[in-house]
């Protein structure tokens, strides 16, 4: 099943390659991976969305933890958590009808049209992977998708619990 | 007051000195010439010049395995560094503490495909415990100090330190200080086993009817041999060792039932298959141990003690996992046994030992040697055992000879048996033996090898001459790649694809040309006397070329896809 892993690691050159290399070396799946420095610039926070059975997941968590640069890893899937992804998508907006419809759909999904060209709308949307998939599917029925980019999921546990050193 | 300034190269040497390094194994080249110049101007650390960088890694590895210290390698950038890759992988697979200092092109050239540039940190990423890219003078002492700490603690392993040329040169100087008391927020290996898990494990052991202790290389690495022996004697339990764990308990101990696994003893594999509790200590259920995991010991409760959590429940699910240093955990178990008043129940032990002795009586390590036949390889190993009283260090190459040595030379102590178990690296034996000999010049050090393996690092005969390393090389020469040939006999209907060596040199003459002694043995009647002669020569390297029966197979042997105790006992005979 799909799991969301939150990783806190040293912000060192090569840290990312160690994680990515580990996943490829051991044939683990990566659906998406996002990484950036945290409020403490010496640390990087990574979110990995992956798939696997319990045995594989156990190995992923242990193997990632074994990397010297990794400080903490937690699987936040089963606890209350927030998951967000950012979508930027360019769609054809040729006719009045399609512009109106695209605007309506965007409003319903609480997205925002952030740029317009002569015949193009660029829309921004945040949400979990399901919501973004649903939005893209809905747009597809209405107009042509010209280009899209997704950030991959970032995740954080709800409430008091925090992943820090 | 003026502060003394040092070059990066000097800092490398000073750092190694501060960490009590005695030997560096290496080969010079453009990017590390400054380090060589710094080594030349001091006499605390001796540099051993090999003939190929792969041998430097194996030599450092052999030294580390025999002494427990960190083996240190120095290689230049590009091909020098890539030649180390096999040796690094070998050390990684067997958890050997090693630090590899690799040169690199100047930082301004990195990424430009400069002369002798290779991304060695990238190349070695899957086969190291960690690596460091030094990019300034100030990085050097810290990286080396951390490299040693990481290599030697927790589950040991190789660490690569990349040193670009421009931070080593005389034009660049800085102040030197090193902190050898390393603390890292991201790396804190477990030491003690969780008390709850210890209690659980001990109570399971106490109620066991058919307990087997299965111990591996972790016992050797953590010098837990005495504690293990105490535990075995307290429990009066049978114990089997993995290939890496041999010597963890004396091979002559009454409770030792032999090596287990693919070429293990029948009694060891049978005991495992019939156990109700398996206590795994510093072993990792390697596929050469388990055979088919689906059929692995279905009735056993498995207690798995390992320093590395990833080893636990990786291939075989552990019912009671214990993460910790194996010596510390055994001590905790002994304390728990003592404090809860344990005495072994003879009425439970007797039938179990009776059963084991029935399996023992099959004598699965046996062979037939007729007087007029070619020499059997097993017979050579037995002869060596007698001559050296079972006390020699034995470094092995990889193949049939390795298995015969493991089966027919019961090692009395840990660190006596030096072999590439996980990686199975041919060419390991000679340089590893050299590393051992360097550490223990007064001990018998044997390199057991074959006509295939020895040729993978035979150039080191020259290094042996230069540094006076009189190891005894015993080649079980069967004019073929024996283990490959055995598989071809058993699995490929005897089609011997590329398993012949039809252009072998005369190894004795080859050894002589390097300045060593060569002894050839090709009849049984002269085997013992000539071997004795070889071992009586203490001050020169002796290459003993023993022509053995090329048709001999290693038995017992796992039947593929079977359970751990599904074995061939000899050609066509199943257990």
């Amino acid at each position: 099943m799909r799991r969301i892993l939150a990783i806190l690691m040293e912000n060192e050159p090569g840290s990312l390659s160690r994680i990515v290399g580990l996943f490829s070396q051991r044939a683990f799946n990566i659906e998406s991976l996002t990484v950036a420095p945290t409020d403490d610039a010496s640390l990087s926070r990574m979110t990995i969305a992956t798939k696997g059975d319990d045995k594989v997941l156990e190995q992923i968590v242990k193997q990632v933890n074994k990397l010297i640069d990794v400080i903490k890893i937690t699987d936040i899937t089963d606890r209350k958590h927030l998951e967000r992804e950012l979508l930027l998508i360019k769609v054809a907006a040729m006719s009045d009808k399609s512009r109106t419809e695209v605007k309506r759909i965007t409003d319903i999904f609480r997205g925002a049209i952030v740029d317009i060209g002569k015949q193009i709308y660029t829309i921004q949307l945040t949400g979990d992977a399901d919501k973004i998939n649903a939005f893209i599917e809905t747009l597809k029925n209405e107009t042509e998708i010209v280009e899209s980019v997704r950030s991959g999921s970032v995740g954080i546990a709800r409430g008091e619990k925090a992943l820090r050193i | 007051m003026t502060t003394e300034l040092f070059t990066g190269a000097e800092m490398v040497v000073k750092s190694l000195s501060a960490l009590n390094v005695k030997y560096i194994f290496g080969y010079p080249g453009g990017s590390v010439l400054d380090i060589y110049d710094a080594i030349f101007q001091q006499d605390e650390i001796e540099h051993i010049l090999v003939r190929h960088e792969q041998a430097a890694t194996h030599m450092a590895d052999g030294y580390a395995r025999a002494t427990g210290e960190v083996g240190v390698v120095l290689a230049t950038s590009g091909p020098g560094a890539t030649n180390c890759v096999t040796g690094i992988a070998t050390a990684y697979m067997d958890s050997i503490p090693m630090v590899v200092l690799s040169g690199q092109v100047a930082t301004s050239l990195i990424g430009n495909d400069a002369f002798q540039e290779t991304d060695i940190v990238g190349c070695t990423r899957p086969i190291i415990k960690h690596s460091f890219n030094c990019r300034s003078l100030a990085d050097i002492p810290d990286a080396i100090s951390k490299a040693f700490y990481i290599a030697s603690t927790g589950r040991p392993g190789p660490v690569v330190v990349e040193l670009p040329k421009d931070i080593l040169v005389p034009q660049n100087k800085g102040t030197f200080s090193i902190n050898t008391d390393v603390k890292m927020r991201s790396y804190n290996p477990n030491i003690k086993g969780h008390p709850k898990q210890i209690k659980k494990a001990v109570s399971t052991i106490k109620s066991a009817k058919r307990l087997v202790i299965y111990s591996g290389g972790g016992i050797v690495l953590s010098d837990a041999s005495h504690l293990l022996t105490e535990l075995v004697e307290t429990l009066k339990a049978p114990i089997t060792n993995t290939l890496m764990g041999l010597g963890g308990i004396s091979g002559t101990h009454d409770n030792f039932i032999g090596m287990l696994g693919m070429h293990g003893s029948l009694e060891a594999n049978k005991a495992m298959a019939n156990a109700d509790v398996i206590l795994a200590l510093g072993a990792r259920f390697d596929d050469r141990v388990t055979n088919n995991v689906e059929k692995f010991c279905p009735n056993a409760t498995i207690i798995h003690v390992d320093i590395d959590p990833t080893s636990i429940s990786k291939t075989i699910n552990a019912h009671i996992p214990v993460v910790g240093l194996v010596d510390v955990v055994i001590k905790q178990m002994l304390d728990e046994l003592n404090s809860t008043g344990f005495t072994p129940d003879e009425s439970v032990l007797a039938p179990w030992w009776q059963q084991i002795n029935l399996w023992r009586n099959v004598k699965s390590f046996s062979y037939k040697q007729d007087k007029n036949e070619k020499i059997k390889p097993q017979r050579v190993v037995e002869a060596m055992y007698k001559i050296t009283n079972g006390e020699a260090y034995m470094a092995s190459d990889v193949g049939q000879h390795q298995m015969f040595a493991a089966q027919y030379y019961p090692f009395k102590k840990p660190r006596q048996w030096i072999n590439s178990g996980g990686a199975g690296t041919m060419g390991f034996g000679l340089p590893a033996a050299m590393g051992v000999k360097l550490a223990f010049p007064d001990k018998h050090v044997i390199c057991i090898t074959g006509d295939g393996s020895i040729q993978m690092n035979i150039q080191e005969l020259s290094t042996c001459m230069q540094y006076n390393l009189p190891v005894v090389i015993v080649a079980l020469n069967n004019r073929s790649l024996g283990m490959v040939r055995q598989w071809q006999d058993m699995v490929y209907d005897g089609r011997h694809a590329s398993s012949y060596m039809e252009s072998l040199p005369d190894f004795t003459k080859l050894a002589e040309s390097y300045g060593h002694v060569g002894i050839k043995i090709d009849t049984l009647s002269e085997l013992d006397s000539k071997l004795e002669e070889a071992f009586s020569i203490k001050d020169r390297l002796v290459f003993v070329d023993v022509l053995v029966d090329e048709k001999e197979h290693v038995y017992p042997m796992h039947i593929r896809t079977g359970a751990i105790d599904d074995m061939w006992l000899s050609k066509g005979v199943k257990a």
Side-chain angles (χ1 to χ4, degrees):
Chain A
M1 67 175 284
R2 183 171 182 272
R3 314 294 297 187
I4 304 288
L5 305 175
I7 301 164
L8 194 65
M9 60 196 298
E10 298 286 356
N11 184 10
E12 294 276 345
S15 294
L16 175 61
S17 77
R18 290 181 210 278
I19 297 267
V20 174
L22 173 70
F23 273 72
S24 98
Q25 171 189 358
R26 299 197 180 264
F28 299 148
N29 170 287
I30 299 184
E31 183 187 288
S32 73
L33 181 156
T34 66
V35 61
T38 66
D39 54 306
D40 173 350
S42 73
L43 295 171
S44 281
R45 169 71 177 250
M46 187 180 285
T47 308
I48 295 180
T50 182
K51 282 196 177 98
D53 60 22
D54 287 351
K55 197 174 165 74
V56 170
L57 247 292
E58 182 182 333
Q59 271 297 309
I60 291 177
V61 170
K62 285 173 166 180
Q63 293 285 358
V64 169
N65 224 351
K66 187 174 163 180
L67 293 173
I68 304 290
D69 285 337
V70 169
I71 297 169
K72 279 181 184 167
I73 172 168
T74 55
D75 180 348
I76 60 173
T77 323
D78 288 337
R79 64 171 72 154
K80 287 184 177 161
H81 70 279
L82 297 164
E83 184 193 334
R84 292 289 182 272
E85 191 174 353
L86 171 67
L87 168 76
L88 293 173
I89 190 165
K90 273 184 191 174
V91 296
M94 316 276 243
S95 63
D96 279 351
K97 182 180 168 285
S98 72
R99 282 179 211 181
T100 314
E101 199 49 35
V102 166
K103 173 79 171 76
R104 202 174 67 85
I105 295 166
T106 303
D107 288 344
I108 290 170
F109 278 86
R110 290 184 208 153
I113 296 167
V114 290
D115 191 34
I116 48 174
K118 274 187 184 158
Q119 297 183 325
I120 293 271
Y121 276 2
T122 304
I123 308 161
Q124 164 189 305
L125 183 79
T126 55
D128 62 16
D130 273 354
K131 177 181 167 186
I132 292 192
N133 290 339
F135 181 61
I136 293 171
E137 283 310 307
T138 311
L139 281 177
K140 265 188 193 164
N141 293 333
E142 207 49 56
T143 182
E144 180 199 346
I145 291 170
V146 179
E147 183 185 350
S148 74
V149 55
R150 297 172 68 155
S151 65
S153 293
V154 294
I156 197 163
R158 283 186 184 272
E160 306 297 313
K161 229 172 162 148
L163 188 66
R164 17 183 348 112
I165 48 171
Chain B
M1 197 182 106
T2 54
T3 330
E4 202 177 353
L5 298 179
F6 298 95
T7 68
E10 288 166 339
M11 288 188 191
V12 170
V13 178
K14 284 180 78 68
S15 303
L16 296 175
S17 247
L19 292 155
N20 302 314
V21 171
K22 295 183 203 76
Y23 298 104
I24 305 177
F25 307 93
Y27 204 101
S31 69
V32 289
L33 281 177
D34 294 291
I35 301 178
Y36 275 85
D37 198 45
I39 294 172
F40 189 80
Q41 296 177 57
Q42 55 83 56
D43 49 18
E44 279 178 50
I45 302 173
E46 187 180 356
H47 177 267
I48 307 293
L49 174 69
V50 292
R51 299 298 179 267
H52 186 295
E53 289 89 349
Q54 185 192 347
T57 56
H58 294 328
M59 208 173 163
D61 183 322
Y63 180 85
R65 289 182 202 235
T67 61
E69 294 167 25
V70 177
V72 185
V73 178
L74 174 57
T76 195
S77 62
T82 56
N83 277 346
C84 292
V85 167
T86 302
I88 295 170
T90 304
Y92 180 73
M93 291 297 278
D94 291 343
S95 310
I96 303 306
M98 180 189 285
V99 170
V100 178
L101 306 171
S102 164
Q104 184 52 285
V105 299
T107 48
S108 59
L109 292 174
I110 288 176
N112 282 347
D113 299 319
F115 176 65
Q116 291 194 330
E117 179 187 359
T118 300
D119 173 15
I120 195 59
V121 165
C123 286
T124 56
R125 194 204 42 73
I127 50 167
I128 39 111
K129 187 168 173 191
H130 197 56
S131 49
F132 292 93
N133 305 79
C134 295
R135 290 294 178 264
S136 73
L137 274 175
D139 290 345
I140 295 172
D142 193 44
I144 292 179
S145 178
K146 280 183 178 160
F148 272 70
Y149 172 64
I150 293 168
S152 59
T153 53
R155 178 178 183 174
V159 179
V160 168
V161 180
E162 184 188 75
L163 298 158
K165 170 94 175 174
D166 57 317
I167 66 168
L168 302 172
V169 293
Q171 293 82 349
N172 241 335
K173 287 190 176 187
T175 55
F176 174 80
S177 74
I178 185 165
N179 174 19
T180 54
D181 181 24
V182 177
K183 287 194 178 60
M184 295 173 73
R185 64 180 176 183
S186 64
Y187 174 66
N188 298 293
N190 243 12
I191 292 175
K192 273 182 120 172
H194 195 286
K196 247 185 169 166
Q197 294 298 90
I198 301 282
K199 275 197 193 311
K200 235 176 161 179
V202 167
S203 102
T204 305
I205 289 167
K206 279 169 143 183
S207 59
K209 300 272 184 288
R210 296 178 309 281
L211 170 69
V212 178
I213 300 175
Y214 146 57
S215 79
I219 297 291
V220 178
L221 290 167
S222 63
D223 295 312
S225 180
H226 289 292
L227 285 164
L228 174 67
T229 308
E230 193 185 330
L231 182 70
V232 168
E233 288 172 357
T234 305
L235 297 170
K236 298 195 175 176
I239 174 161
T240 175
N241 286 164
T242 66
L243 178 67
M244 290 306 300
L246 292 175
I249 185 162
S250 171
T252 58
H253 195 285
D254 285 342
N255 293 43
F256 182 60
I257 56 172
M259 176 173 78
L260 83 170
M262 180 173 268
H263 294 296
S265 74
L266 179 72
E267 56 268 36
N269 287 333
K270 280 280 180 201
M272 288 288 283
N274 290 278
D276 67 342
V277 176
I278 292 173
L279 173 58
L281 298 169
R284 62 183 177 92
F285 297 89
D286 178 86
D287 54 278
R288 286 299 191 266
V289 162
T290 59
N291 212 6
N292 186 348
V293 292
E294 304 293 328
K295 299 178 183 171
F296 182 78
C297 306
N299 304 315
T301 300
I302 290 168
I303 305 165
H304 192 173
V305 179
D306 205 291
I307 184 64
D308 181 358
T310 70
S311 285
I312 294 177
S313 297
K314 180 164 66 182
T315 56
I316 301 294
N317 193 43
H319 303 95
I320 306 173
V322 185
V323 177
L325 282 175
V326 73
D327 54 334
V328 177
V329 172
I330 295 176
K331 185 79 183 37
Q332 285 177 284
M333 286 182 167
L334 282 166
D335 289 347
E336 176 70 16
L337 281 167
N338 291 334
S339 69
T340 55
F342 173 78
T343 43
D345 183 348
E346 294 296 338
S347 71
V348 167
L349 283 169
W352 183 220
W353 273 108
Q354 218 166 21
Q355 176 62 66
I356 289 169
N357 287 330
L358 286 177
W359 293 320
R360 262 183 176 167
N361 290 342
V362 173
K363 297 199 186 310
S364 59
F365 292 162
S366 61
Y367 62 97
K368 281 198 198 102
Q369 171 80 71
D370 288 333
K371 269 186 188 159
N372 301 321
E373 269 186 343
K374 288 179 182 169
I375 301 171
K376 296 289 182 186
Q378 299 93 322
R379 176 72 177 75
V380 183
V381 177
E382 285 185 333
M384 287 196 290
Y385 182 82
K386 274 189 203 133
I387 293 167
T388 58
N389 195 27
E391 286 164 2
Y393 284 93
M394 174 129 33
S396 179
D397 261 310
V398 168
Q400 285 186 321
H401 61 269
Q402 178 188 22
M403 292 302 117
F404 289 134
Q407 292 177 335
Y408 290 88
Y409 196 110
F411 296 97
K412 293 181 177 169
K413 289 187 177 149
R415 302 192 181 280
Q416 237 185 302
W417 170 235
I418 312 277
N419 89 123
S420 168
T425 304
M426 290 172 70
F428 173 81
L430 176 57
M434 291 157 61
V436 180
K437 190 71 186 177
L438 193 69
F440 300 107
D442 301 328
K443 298 280 165 90
H444 277 309
V445 179
I446 303 168
C447 163
I448 184 146
T449 184
D451 47 289
S453 283
I454 190 64
Q455 293 192 80
M456 286 213 189
N457 264 320
I458 200 158
Q459 75 287 344
E460 297 309 316
L461 286 173
S462 170
T463 310
C464 290
M465 199 61 201
Q466 183 176 351
Y467 295 96
N468 184 30
L469 299 169
V471 300
V472 181
I473 300 171
V474 179
L476 303 182
N477 183 347
N478 57 6
R479 285 83 57 207
S480 44
L481 304 177
M483 193 58 95
V484 170
R485 184 190 163 113
Q486 174 169 346
W487 281 57
Q488 290 170 337
D489 285 340
M490 296 173 75
V491 189
Y492 298 91
D493 295 329
R495 292 185 297 278
H496 296 155
S498 298
S499 59
Y500 290 108
M501 293 291 228
E502 283 171 335
S503 50
L504 289 180
D506 181 331
F507 287 113
T508 56
K509 283 192 182 143
L510 184 64
E512 283 163 8
S513 83
Y514 278 103
H516 305 306
V517 180
I519 296 178
K520 184 171 283 176
I521 305 178
D522 62 3
T523 58
L524 183 62
S525 59
E526 60 182 3
L527 174 65
D528 293 322
S529 60
K530 284 203 172 173
L531 266 182
E532 264 173 49
E533 181 195 340
F535 280 96
S536 70
I537 302 170
K538 306 271 192 215
D539 54 348
R540 295 181 68 190
L541 182 147
V542 186
F543 193 121
V544 190
D545 183 19
V546 192
L547 302 180
V548 297
D549 185 353
E550 72 277 11
K551 295 204 171 64
E552 192 64 16
H553 286 179
V554 180
Y555 288 109
M557 182 173 179
H558 272 159
I559 297 170
R560 288 191 312 159
T561 73
I564 188 171
D565 61 338
D566 286 333
M567 305 200 83
W568 297 106
L569 289 180
S570 58
K571 280 179 200 176
V573 180
K574 289 186 185 177

